[in-house]
Amino acid sequence: MPLLRLPGSCRMRLLQFTTVKLTLCLICGILIGYYLRPSLALSFALTSVSLFLLGVVFVRYHKFPTLLFTLFAGLLAIAIGILSLTLSESRNHGRHYSQQNLAKNKVYTLKIREVLKPNDYSDRYVAHVNSMDSLKVSGKILLNIAVDSSIGPLMVDDEILTYTTLYPITPPLNPHQFNYKKYLSNIGIGHQAKLAGHDYHIMPQSSTTIFGLAYKIRDHIIKKLKNENFGPEELGVIQALLLGQRNEITAEIDTDYKNAGAYHILALSGLHIGILLGLLHFLLRPLELLPKGRTIKLVVIVLFLWAFALLAGLSASILRATTMFTFVAYALYLNRPTSHFNILALSLFFILLVLDPLLLFQVGFQLSYAAVFAIVWIYPLLQKIWNPQYWIIKKGWELVSVSIAAQLGVLPISLFYFHQFPSLFLISSLLILPFLTFILGFGILVIVLSLVNSLPHVFVTVYDNVIRWMNWVIGLVAQQENFLFRNISFDAVQLILSYGIIITMVTVFIKASYKRVVVFLVFVLCFQFYVLGIGHLAQKKESLMIGHVARNSGLIHQTGQKLTVYCSNPTATTRMTNDYAIAQNTTEFEHRPIKNSYLIKGKRLVLLDSINTALPMNYDVSTLVLTQSPKINLERLLDSIAPDIVIADGSNYKSYVDRWKATCHKKMLPFHYTGEKGAFLYTWP
């Protein structure tokens, strides 16, 4: 990014640009459509009325620019955002598979769209549903195929025929865990299919798409690289860095890059496309000497960017990054002082409207645009603070400025989603980013030479050592765990307030005034009062959660800001406990063995397990919890007691749970199985 010179006028006010205003209105419309879910007819009506009113104002008052015209233009952008989101929803597509009866097995024709990282049990894919029985349909599903050594993995564009049932994606079973269902829903996936190795037939002929071509090119490159003498860890990083393929990165390397605050180096996205754009902009400068050389240069740069996107498999992150920097390349071509904000806003408007409005809710998309907007806005301000005379210091300050600007832009989002802050990100940036242009450029050269079977062994050795050095540096930084702040509680309100603080702080830095300082201080005070408020409320809170832990049992009792975790295996409950503690803003917790009886506000909760199958004497049982598959006659037991509810957790055999569920249904007694309904939560005011 330092290669791209940002004009000083980028320090101008963001909201003076029309494209920025319209883009903000479009985003508001998408948010309204996402949370209110209006009907398609209402969305069309709102858009039509807004367009009509804007047309009337334009015809009647076109000679006099008025506030009325601006208002209706904004309303039209909001209406378009609502309509765009509504049109993307599956419920408004009659041919979408989810609008059909999915209760029974059907014959499905599926086309592989994306190969995901496999787990220990299955290969995973994103597949398009082309037909169900004889009906042509559309839509995407998550496809899980059990690992079978006798059958090779599928490739993009493969078409399979299978007789199966589609199941909804299940939500998280414990509160505050990562919501994989919501994540998939935001990329248009609502159902999944689970197949064994021989439950499908590969169609002998299938149509070829641009995504399949990209996958085959990338797969061919990977096979070529594997024939070279690269180390396994280094090869995994090379695939991620140049091809967007992170499936072969080891868990240790993955963790090191995250803890060092350098994971953006492995996640092929806007950083890499931006560096490539800067490199091409510099290398192709001689073309400007030709007649219409600037236009030729623009065309060549755009072709190279999209060729690299094809090389990287045309993943969603690469598509949006390449689209964004295509607009940036056009801004560089125009060479106008105000074009950067305009072009970035226009690219955002275009991507959300044409490609997919649901991109707005994807973490990678939010991080990419937050970082780029922050760099364009804040980087010139930091450069104005200090202008070193010596070249090496000047370049170092440029890297620091870019890193600070980008980190300010993404910090609230990172805290909100990942709840950790690697404070050594500046060290990682200073050690790696100066060489990243060389690493990317040399890596592309290695790939090209490998494809034509002309890769010298010395190039392999040099590049392998460079990647090994980069991994060693990142690992060294990641080992400084005292500088990695984990388990930071940060909710949506804090996210909004923190961006308010950052934006108003920058505006004060641009031009200090009484009004701007007051607004900045108001945001700071609101943030502080909110943090103090949630801490005060937490002091008075008490709750008990019976969580879902596969093949184990776990209860979390919260009293104020202290958690007591009752479990038989603390390791098995670590994830559930950490997620709950972060969300509840608690820092103190302890583990204790599970007891068989708890008194909750005067009501008795009793646990029966495989060892303790008898009820305590003289207890009036309010809640009966069954764990570890106790061998009991539940019907006879319920004849002797009258609990308000029976709960079965994830440690029980499924056959036992089904039998208990039938018994409770017969007795007309509420039954809660955590494997179906999720954790059971008691709360008190």
Side-chain angles (χ1 to χ4, degrees):
M1 287 301 299
L3 293 172
L4 300 179
R5 292 295 176 184
L6 303 175
S9 56
C10 284
R11 297 187 292 270
M12 301 169 72
R13 290 184 295 118
L14 279 173
L15 292 180
Q16 75 178 16
F17 301 110
T18 302
T19 50
V20 174
K21 296 176 185 177
L22 291 177
T23 301
L24 290 176
C25 290
L26 179 74
I27 291 173
C28 288
I30 292 173
L31 292 172
I32 291 171
Y34 184 81
Y35 290 106
L36 297 185
R37 305 287 180 179
S39 65
L40 186 59
L42 179 59
S43 300
F44 267 117
L46 289 173
T47 305
S48 301
V49 170
S50 300
L51 183 60
F52 174 76
L53 293 174
L54 182 65
V56 169
V57 172
F58 179 76
V59 172
R60 294 285 300 273
Y61 306 102
H62 65 280
K63 294 183 180 179
F64 307 99
T66 64
L67 179 62
L68 198 61
F69 182 84
T70 303
L71 174 64
F72 284 125
L75 288 176
L76 178 60
I78 292 173
I80 290 174
I82 295 173
L83 179 61
S84 176
L85 190 283
T86 306
L87 286 172
S88 69
E89 293 183 310
S90 60
R91 62 188 174 94
N92 295 314
H93 294 268
R95 286 289 185 178
H96 197 274
Y97 71 85
S98 62
Q99 303 305 305
Q100 314 303 320
N101 181 14
L102 303 179
K104 298 180 181 179
N105 280 11
K106 294 181 184 294
V107 177
Y108 290 91
T109 303
L110 307 175
K111 188 178 185 67
I112 304 302
R113 168 61 180 83
E114 185 178 351
V115 178
L116 304 177
K117 187 172 183 178
N119 56 33
D120 295 335
Y121 309 103
S122 61
D123 294 320
R124 302 164 63 246
Y125 309 90
V126 173
H128 277 282
V129 184
N130 288 343
S131 67
M132 48 192 304
D133 289 340
S134 58
L135 181 65
K136 293 290 184 181
V137 294
S138 63
K140 295 186 293 185
I141 65 167
L142 179 66
L143 179 62
N144 302 277
I145 301 179
V147 174
D148 190 333
S149 58
S150 64
I151 302 176
L154 297 174
M155 299 179 65
V156 174
D157 276 355
D158 281 349
E159 291 186 13
I160 65 172
L161 194 68
T162 182
Y163 182 67
T164 188
T165 301
L166 300 185
Y167 301 95
I169 306 294
T170 55
L173 295 174
N174 291 313
H176 315 303
Q177 285 187 339
F178 172 67
N179 195 332
Y180 193 52
K181 178 179 181 178
K182 184 177 181 181
Y183 166 78
L184 291 177
S185 176
N186 287 340
I187 58 175
I189 298 175
H191 291 77
Q192 63 179 329
K194 298 181 180 180
L195 306 177
H198 299 278
D199 286 348
Y200 63 91
H201 170 70
I202 301 179
M203 306 291 284
Q205 293 183 340
S206 60
S207 59
T208 301
T209 66
I210 186 67
F211 299 103
L213 178 62
Y215 179 84
K216 290 176 182 178
I217 292 173
R218 184 169 62 175
D219 188 62
H220 178 67
I221 293 171
I222 291 174
K223 288 178 180 178
K224 283 283 189 179
L225 292 176
K226 286 183 176 179
N227 292 332
E228 307 295 343
N229 194 28
F230 289 108
E233 288 187 347
E234 290 70 30
L235 183 59
V237 172
I238 291 171
Q239 292 181 44
L241 194 64
L242 300 174
L243 302 172
Q245 179 63 266
R246 287 177 283 171
N247 292 353
E248 297 187 25
I249 293 179
T250 63
E252 182 180 359
I253 293 292
D254 191 77
T255 302
D256 284 347
Y257 275 81
K258 288 179 181 177
N259 292 346
Y263 199 70
H264 55 283
I265 294 174
L266 293 184
L268 192 56
S269 58
L271 171 67
H272 306 76
I273 303 298
I275 289 175
L276 183 60
L277 172 60
L279 183 62
L280 291 172
H281 187 66
F282 173 75
L283 294 177
L284 298 177
R285 188 169 294 174
L287 290 177
E288 296 181 5
L289 301 176
L290 300 174
K292 296 186 178 180
R294 287 175 54 80
T295 303
I296 295 173
K297 178 183 174 183
L298 172 66
V299 172
V300 173
I301 286 176
V302 171
L303 289 176
F304 267 110
L305 289 181
W306 284 99
F308 183 76
L310 183 67
L311 192 74
L314 292 176
S315 65
S317 60
I318 287 299
L319 279 175
R320 65 173 176 255
T322 308
T323 302
M324 177 175 67
F325 279 98
T326 298
F327 280 93
V328 173
Y330 182 63
L332 293 172
Y333 166 76
L334 293 177
N335 196 27
R336 294 176 185 170
T338 61
S339 62
H340 284 84
F341 283 132
N342 272 318
I343 293 300
L344 283 176
L346 184 60
S347 70
L348 178 58
F349 192 98
F350 175 84
I351 291 172
L352 290 178
L353 185 60
V354 177
L355 294 183
D356 184 4
L358 287 174
L359 283 173
L360 184 63
F361 305 97
Q362 295 183 23
V363 181
F365 180 85
Q366 296 169 9
L367 290 172
S368 295
Y369 266 95
V372 172
F373 268 102
I375 290 172
V376 170
W377 194 27
I378 300 174
Y379 170 79
L381 302 176
L382 295 175
Q383 287 298 292
K384 188 180 179 181
I385 295 175
W386 184 34
N387 187 21
Q389 295 181 352
Y390 298 103
W391 182 86
I392 186 68
I393 300 177
K394 183 180 180 66
K395 292 302 176 183
W397 174 236
E398 286 181 352
L399 287 173
V400 170
S401 299
V402 168
S403 298
I404 292 175
Q407 196 65 40
L408 277 174
V410 304
L411 179 60
I413 298 176
S414 299
L415 291 177
F416 178 69
Y417 287 110
F418 309 119
H419 303 288
Q420 68 175 34
F421 173 64
S423 60
L424 294 180
F425 71 91
L426 272 178
I427 304 298
S428 303
S429 298
L430 284 173
L431 293 175
I432 301 299
L433 288 184
F435 308 98
L436 195 55
T437 301
F438 166 77
I439 293 171
L440 283 176
F442 194 76
I444 294 173
L445 178 63
V446 166
I447 288 177
V448 172
L449 293 177
S450 177
L451 288 175
V452 297
N453 299 315
S454 301
L455 180 60
H457 179 70
V458 65
F459 279 29
V460 174
T461 302
V462 169
Y463 200 57
D464 188 70
N465 286 327
V466 168
I467 299 299
R468 184 178 294 112
W469 167 83
M470 184 172 71
N471 291 343
W472 177 79
V473 169
I474 293 298
L476 187 64
V477 175
Q479 290 174 10
Q480 316 308 314
E481 294 191 357
N482 291 334
F483 297 93
L484 176 63
F485 302 99
R486 292 189 175 98
N487 300 334
I488 301 172
S489 180
F490 205 81
D491 60 20
V493 176
Q494 290 169 297
L495 172 71
I496 295 171
L497 291 176
S498 59
Y499 269 120
I501 291 173
I502 292 172
I503 292 171
T504 54
M505 179 182 67
V506 174
T507 59
V508 168
F509 186 82
I510 293 172
K511 183 179 180 181
S513 67
Y514 175 77
K515 182 179 178 181
R516 292 185 178 187
V517 172
V518 168
V519 174
F520 168 67
L521 293 177
V522 166
F523 272 107
V524 172
L525 288 175
C526 287
F527 188 91
Q528 292 177 329
F529 281 132
Y530 181 78
V531 172
L532 292 173
I534 58 178
H536 178 71
L537 292 176
Q539 292 287 352
K540 299 181 177 181
K541 186 173 183 179
E542 182 177 4
S543 65
L544 177 70
M545 184 188 77
I546 302 171
H548 179 82
V549 186
R551 298 182 294 278
N552 284 278
S553 299
L555 287 78
I556 298 179
H557 183 210
Q558 178 183 358
T559 52
Q561 291 190 315
K562 179 181 178 181
L563 297 183
T564 304
V565 184
Y566 297 95
C567 61
S568 53
N569 183 359
T571 303
T573 61
T574 299
R575 179 182 173 186
M576 177 182 72
T577 303
N578 287 341
D579 291 338
Y580 193 86
I582 292 171
Q584 299 300 321
N585 196 26
T586 58
T587 56
E588 180 184 358
F589 58 87
E590 62 176 338
H591 291 86
R592 291 184 180 180
I594 288 183
K595 300 188 297 182
N596 288 95
S597 178
Y598 300 88
L599 188 63
I600 307 170
K601 297 295 183 179
K603 295 185 177 181
R604 181 65 58 179
L605 182 147
V606 173
L607 283 84
L608 298 183
D609 55 29
S610 56
I611 299 176
N612 300 290
T613 58
L615 290 172
M617 298 296 293
N618 301 322
Y619 278 178
D620 182 17
V621 179
S622 175
T623 303
L624 178 63
V625 181
L626 305 175
T627 72
Q628 305 297 329
S629 304
K631 296 180 179 179
I632 58 172
N633 187 322
L634 183 61
E635 185 170 2
R636 184 183 304 167
L637 180 63
L638 294 178
D639 288 335
S640 61
I641 62 174
D644 297 327
I645 188 172
V646 176
I647 302 172
D649 67 11
S651 66
N652 297 289
Y653 296 131
K654 188 63 169 60
S655 57
Y656 283 33
V657 172
D658 292 338
R659 187 168 67 246
W660 296 334
K661 184 177 181 179
T663 300
C664 290
H665 180 73
K666 180 180 177 181
K667 295 282 188 180
M668 293 186 293
L669 182 66
F671 180 79
H672 185 101
Y673 173 44
T674 60
E676 292 178 352
K677 299 180 180 180
F680 192 88
L681 186 66
Y682 292 94
T683 58
W684 301 273

